[in-house]
Amino acid sequence: MSLLKIARLGHPVIREGTVAITPQELSSEEVQRLIDDMVETMRDADGVGIAAPQVHVAKKIIAVEVDADNPRYPAQEPVPLTIIINPRIIHKISETEVSWEGCLSVPDLRGRVPRATMIEVEGLNRHGTEIHFEAQGFLARVIQHEVDHLNGHVFIDRVEDFSTLTHLREYQKFWENR
Ligand code: NI
C-alpha cells in the first residue's frame, strides 16, 4: 500500500464530478489497490472519510471510518471501515442539523454545515455486493460530505453562515466543545 497525494481545493479534479465504477473495473487489481491506498491515505491524514477525487481519481468510490480516538474528530461514535462504490443517497429525511465539518482537501478550515440527520444509502461494497443501509447523525453527515465530493461539491458550498469559518487551531481553542 502507499500514501497518495491529496488534491486540494482549486485542483480541477475536486470540481469536475466522477464516473461510476463498472463491475469489471471493481474486480481489477488496480481499483482494489486504489481502495487500499485511499484507506491508508485517509488514516494517515486522520480523516474520517475520503472520496476518490481527493486522490486525483474521478470515480465513484468513498471510504468512511471513525476511530474513537481520532484527533481531528474526538468524541464521535466510532464507525467501522466502510467502502461504498457508486454510492447513492436514495432518501434524506427533511430534518437537518447544523454542525462542524472540515475536509482534507480544504486544509485547516472548519465551518458549520446543515445536513439531513438520517439518510438511506445504496451502493456496492468492494467485492461488488449490493449494500443498502440507513445512517444517522455523524455517519450520515460524513456520507453526505463524501457523496458531495463525487458530484464536485465541497463543504464550503454548503456553509450557510460564512462568519462561522474558523481555522483548525482556533476551532480547537474556541469552538470544539460548544
Ligand atoms: Ni472532504
Side-chain angles (χ1 to χ4, degrees):
M1 287 196 281
S2 45
L3 291 177
L4 303 172
K5 188 175 177 197
I6 295 176
R8 306 202 307 176
L9 188 63
H11 192 295
V13 75
I14 293 296
R15 292 300 194 177
E16 72 190 12
T18 51
V19 295
I21 297 271
T22 65
Q24 295 91 319
E25 274 183 296
L26 182 55
S27 59
S28 71
E29 229 175 83
E30 187 191 350
V31 167
Q32 290 295 318
R33 189 179 318 119
L34 169 64
I35 293 168
D36 289 336
D37 290 346
M38 283 174 60
V39 171
E40 189 180 7
T41 302
M42 170 180 71
R43 288 175 175 164
D44 179 72
D46 294 320
V48 291
I50 195 165
Q54 295 185 274
V55 294
H56 305 85
V57 177
K59 293 187 174 165
K60 296 194 188 297
I61 306 173
I62 66 171
V64 174
E65 182 182 51
V66 183
D67 275 349
D69 58 353
N70 184 298
R72 291 176 78 242
Y73 295 92
Q76 293 293 347
E77 282 285 297
V79 175
L81 178 63
T82 305
I83 310 289
I84 316 175
I85 312 298
N86 303 336
R88 297 181 304 282
I89 296 174
I90 57 170
H91 184 66
K92 281 183 193 186
I93 65 167
S94 56
E95 183 193 322
T96 60
E97 184 179 56
V98 178
S99 191
W100 296 99
E101 292 187 22
C103 181
L104 300 178
S105 296
V106 189
D108 196 36
L109 272 187
R110 289 282 161 94
R112 290 177 65 78
V113 181
R115 298 283 189 187
T117 56
M118 189 182 289
I119 59 174
E120 205 177 327
V121 185
E122 277 183 357
L124 302 174
N125 69 14
R126 68 182 297 169
H127 308 296
T129 306
E130 288 276 352
I131 52 175
H132 178 180
F133 61 96
E134 283 182 357
Q136 47 187 313
F138 188 62
L139 177 58
R141 175 173 297 279
V142 176
I143 291 173
Q144 288 170 86
H145 176 120
E146 300 311 331
V147 170
D148 264 358
H149 276 302
L150 302 182
N151 298 314
H153 295 299
V154 295
F155 80 91
I156 293 179
D157 307 346
R158 309 285 188 210
V159 168
E160 287 181 332
D161 177 358
F162 287 100
S163 73
T164 66
L165 283 179
T166 169
H167 288 286
L168 191 54
R169 187 160 162 267
E170 285 70 16
Y171 168 78
Q172 288 160 344
K173 193 166 175 187
F174 297 111
W175 304 104
E176 184 151 46
N177 297 313
R178 303 187 188 188

